[in-house]
């Protein structure tokens, strides 16, 4: 009886894992990319993972011992990947059970795998060493569920995830007070000086005003926002950022029933998250379980969409990563240096250290998207107009004035402020340069080393073409007057 129960539990676990990934194929693709799979192979790897989980579940029912060995191998592989990520200090979203489990990898992940591995061992050994394996499984179960139980108890006392933050008026909000109305809660994380965040703030205010009856949206900001947002919590120490694994802004976390249900990075993904959370059948736990049970529907919809050729002939096969005339347009985390001030490196005269901002969204560079993908606190700089507004202008600085070439260089995110990064840019002293910085004040060309580019603005033509190709045309700043001393 115990062996049968273990078989059914394991088969159910692998089936649920496969179905929930199938119902969120985009999330599965992002997850395997975060683990180091090249973006070009992410879709295939995600599909192979889903197929493998279905296969293990089927084997457990048809050939129990063979299926148990396959389950052991799969769990061992997952555990090795988790160990490597933890050893490198990377808090990657597991996405092991789709949207049902979107917390970062941690030691509870290994404990969970150990618990299921013990059950698989019980089946593979046909009940031999039953007491030892059962004891090990129970121990791993406690280590797996214990931290979550403590977090749930903490949430009932208002201390969940260390969330106790003041608003502008000084009132302290906790997770309990934010969830008093028992509606889904979306925490939007922002930073002062983040252009993409500033652009999102009016939307956050609108969501709070228009969707308050169905979802609570709270802004958690690293400092007071420039745009007035009704429910804005201030976290200058960024302790909540660390507690929720926020490494770039804007980002958001959806909480429902005291559980972290889903995450989003970038303005577009955050808007989709809020929209889904506001629906009556949105991302509640019940809604997610229903979504898992009909996990094949997205595949059917994708097949139908593939048959609809009208207006989509020029759309890239992967809109998040594609080549445009020798450059690569990528939808990911990157360092934006278009207005960055720089200082000469203290150790290398050919390098300028520039203060750039970390954002999510589309950017262009000459390195491919896999090379530019975030790795821990390392990101690459790229070009984008994500933070461009009416106050921007293209300033031309004369030849002989030092400037910094930051395109495609490596940057290191500030561990205390993940919205900014230090980029090691190449110092250039010949030829004219053009920058979005300086506010059209030509005097700043000599008073500041700006991140800039040559007059032909490399990669901008590819950026414009690629964004048009995916139906997101962009606007560039106007050229500054010839002289504005």
């Amino acid at each position: 009886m115990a062996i049968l129960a273990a078989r059914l539990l394991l088969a159910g676990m692998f089936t649920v894992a496969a179905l929930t990934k199938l119902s969120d194929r985009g999330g599965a693709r992002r997850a395997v990319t975060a683990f180091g799979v090249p973006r070009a192979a992410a879709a295939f790897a995600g599909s192979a993972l889903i197929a493998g989980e279905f296969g293990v579940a089927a084997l457990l029912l048809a050939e129990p011992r063979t299926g148990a060995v396959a389950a052991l191998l799969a769990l061992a592989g997952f555990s090795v990947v988790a160990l490597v990520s933890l050893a490198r200090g990377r808090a990657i979203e597991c996405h092991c059970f789709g949207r049902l489990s979107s917390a970062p990898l941690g030691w509870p992940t290994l404990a969970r795998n150990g618990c299921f591995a013990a059950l698989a061992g019980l089946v593979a050994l046909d009940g031999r060493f039953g007491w030892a394996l059962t004891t090990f499984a129970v121990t791993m179960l406690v280590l797996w569920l214990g931290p979550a139980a403590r977090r749930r108890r903490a949430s009932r006392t208002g201390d969940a995830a260390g969330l106790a933050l003041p608003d502008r008026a000084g009132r302290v909000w906790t997770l309990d007070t934010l969830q008093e109305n028992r509606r889904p809660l979306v925490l939007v994380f922002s930073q002062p000086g983040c252009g993409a965040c500033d652009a999102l703030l009016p939307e956050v205010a609108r969501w709070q005003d228009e969707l308050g009856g169905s979802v609570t949206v709270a802004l958690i900001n690293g400092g007071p926002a420039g745009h007035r947002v009704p429910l804005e919590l201030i976290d200058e120490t960024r302790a909540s950022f660390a507690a929720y694994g926020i490494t770039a802004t804007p980002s958001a976390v959806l909480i429902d029933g005291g559980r972290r249900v889903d995450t989003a990075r970038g303005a577009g993904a955050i808007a989709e998250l809020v929209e889904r959370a506001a629906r009556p059948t949105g991302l509640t736990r019940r809604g997610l379980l229903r979504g898992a049970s009909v996990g094949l529907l997205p595949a059917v919809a994708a097949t139908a969409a593939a048959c609809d050729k009208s207006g989509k002939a020029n759309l890239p096969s992967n809109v998040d990563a594609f080549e445009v005339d020798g450059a690569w347009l990528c939808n990911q985390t990157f360092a934006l240096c278009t207005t960055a001030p720089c200082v000469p490196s203290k150790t290398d005269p050919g390098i300028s250290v520039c203060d750039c901002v970390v954002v999510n969204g589309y950017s262009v560079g000459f390195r491919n998207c896999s090379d530019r993908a975030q790795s821990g606190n390392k990101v690459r700089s790229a070009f984008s107009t994500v933070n461009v507004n009416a106050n921007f202008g293209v300033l031309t600085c004369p030849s002989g004035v030092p400037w910094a070439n930051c395109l495609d260089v490596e940057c290191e995110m500030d561990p205390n402020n993940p919205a900014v990064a230090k980029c090691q840019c190449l110092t250039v002293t010949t030829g004219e340069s053009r920058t979005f910085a300086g506010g059209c004040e030509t005097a700043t060309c000599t008073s500041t080393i700006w991140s800039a580019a040559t007059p032909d603005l490399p990669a901008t033509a590819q950026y414009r073409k690629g964004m048009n190709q995916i139906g997101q045309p962009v606007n560039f700043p106007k050229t500054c007057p010839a002289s504005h001393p």
Side-chain angles (χ1 to χ4, degrees):
M1 183 63 71
I3 295 176
L4 177 61
R7 283 174 54 199
L8 294 177
L9 183 60
L10 285 167
M13 182 271 292
F14 276 100
T15 300
V16 170
L19 283 174
T20 50
K21 289 185 183 73
L22 191 60
S23 67
D24 184 21
R25 297 175 72 89
R29 185 181 69 246
R30 290 191 297 272
V32 297
T33 301
F35 281 109
V37 175
R39 280 179 172 266
F44 173 79
S47 298
L49 179 60
I50 293 169
E53 289 174 335
F54 275 129
V56 172
L59 276 174
L60 281 163
L61 297 176
E63 296 288 341
R65 298 185 70 176
T66 303
V69 172
L72 277 170
L73 292 174
L75 291 165
F78 297 155
S79 298
V80 168
V81 172
L83 274 171
V84 171
S85 298
L86 290 171
R88 292 177 177 174
R90 302 177 65 191
I92 298 175
E93 295 288 333
C94 171
H95 217 79
C96 303
F97 293 92
R99 294 188 183 121
L100 292 177
S101 176
S102 61
L105 281 176
W107 298 113
T109 309
L110 296 175
R112 181 192 65 205
N113 289 353
C115 178
F116 286 124
L119 296 180
L122 187 67
V123 176
L125 295 173
D126 199 22
R128 292 191 295 274
F129 307 105
W131 282 108
L133 290 170
T134 301
T135 301
F136 182 77
V138 171
T139 302
M140 292 297 102
L141 183 67
V142 171
L143 293 175
W144 167 25
L145 299 180
R150 287 194 294 272
R151 285 194 297 270
R152 282 194 293 272
R153 285 195 298 271
S155 69
R156 288 194 290 270
T157 63
D159 296 327
L163 186 60
L165 300 173
D167 59 19
R168 287 199 183 205
R171 177 189 174 186
V172 175
W173 294 74
T174 66
L175 204 63
D176 269 357
T177 53
L178 288 169
Q179 291 193 294
E180 283 177 344
N181 54 23
R182 299 186 180 278
R183 300 187 189 107
L185 168 66
V186 177
L187 301 177
V188 180
F189 292 84
S190 174
Q191 290 278 9
C194 165
C197 302
D198 293 341
L200 183 64
L201 294 183
E203 280 294 289
V204 175
R206 183 182 67 81
W207 294 331
Q208 293 181 355
D209 180 52
E210 298 179 2
L211 304 179
S214 53
V215 60
T216 299
V217 179
L219 176 70
I220 298 181
N221 209 351
H227 185 93
R228 194 75 176 182
V229 176
L231 181 53
E232 178 190 1
L233 310 182
I234 309 300
D235 184 10
E236 294 183 348
T237 66
R238 299 173 185 85
S240 63
F241 287 64
Y244 284 96
I246 303 301
T247 58
T249 54
S251 292
V253 175
L254 171 60
I255 298 171
D256 182 31
R259 289 187 68 246
R260 176 174 171 165
V261 176
D262 202 1
T263 58
R265 293 181 179 179
I270 292 172
E272 292 178 6
L273 181 69
V274 172
E275 181 183 349
R276 292 198 304 268
R279 294 177 192 151
T281 56
L283 288 175
T284 61
R285 282 174 287 177
R286 184 179 300 174
L288 286 173
L289 289 171
R290 281 200 300 268
S293 67
V294 293
L296 289 175
L297 289 179
V300 175
T303 302
C307 297
D308 180 13
K309 302 296 184 181
S310 60
K312 299 182 181 179
N314 295 324
L315 198 64
S317 58
N318 181 2
V319 296
D320 289 333
F322 61 97
E323 188 175 6
V324 184
D325 298 339
W328 282 85
L329 193 70
C330 312
N331 185 12
Q332 60 189 25
T333 302
F334 65 100
L336 183 63
C337 304
T338 49
T339 60
C342 313
V343 296
S345 169
K346 296 179 180 179
T347 58
D348 188 341
I351 295 295
S352 291
V353 181
C354 302
D355 292 322
C356 304
V357 295
V358 179
V359 294
N360 292 283
Y362 280 100
S363 66
V364 72
F366 292 104
R367 287 179 174 267
N368 63 45
C369 299
S370 297
D371 288 346
R372 283 157 48 196
Q374 179 184 351
S375 177
N377 65 342
K378 302 290 186 181
V379 291
R380 287 272 176 185
S381 61
F383 175 80
S384 174
T385 59
V386 67
N387 66 336
V388 167
N389 57 46
N391 297 322
F392 278 57
V394 180
L395 172 66
T396 300
C397 292
S399 178
V401 172
W403 55 278
N405 183 356
C406 293
L407 187 63
D408 286 333
V409 303
E410 188 174 82
C411 310
E412 184 170 356
M413 296 164 57
D414 185 340
N416 297 317
N417 184 0
V420 299
K422 296 283 188 183
C423 296
Q424 305 291 318
C425 304
L426 301 177
T427 303
V428 184
T429 57
T430 58
E432 288 187 346
S433 62
R434 292 186 178 178
T435 179
F436 289 1
C440 289
E441 299 288 342
T442 55
T444 64
C445 292
T446 54
S447 63
T448 306
I449 299 177
W450 292 118
S451 169
T454 53
D456 59 339
L457 298 176
T460 54
Q462 293 96 322
Y463 177 72
R464 189 191 296 272
K465 180 178 179 180
M467 295 301 285
N468 285 337
Q469 198 171 342
I470 61 174
Q472 298 185 31
V474 294
N475 294 317
F476 280 73
K478 295 180 180 179
T479 301
C480 294
S483 178
H484 191 164

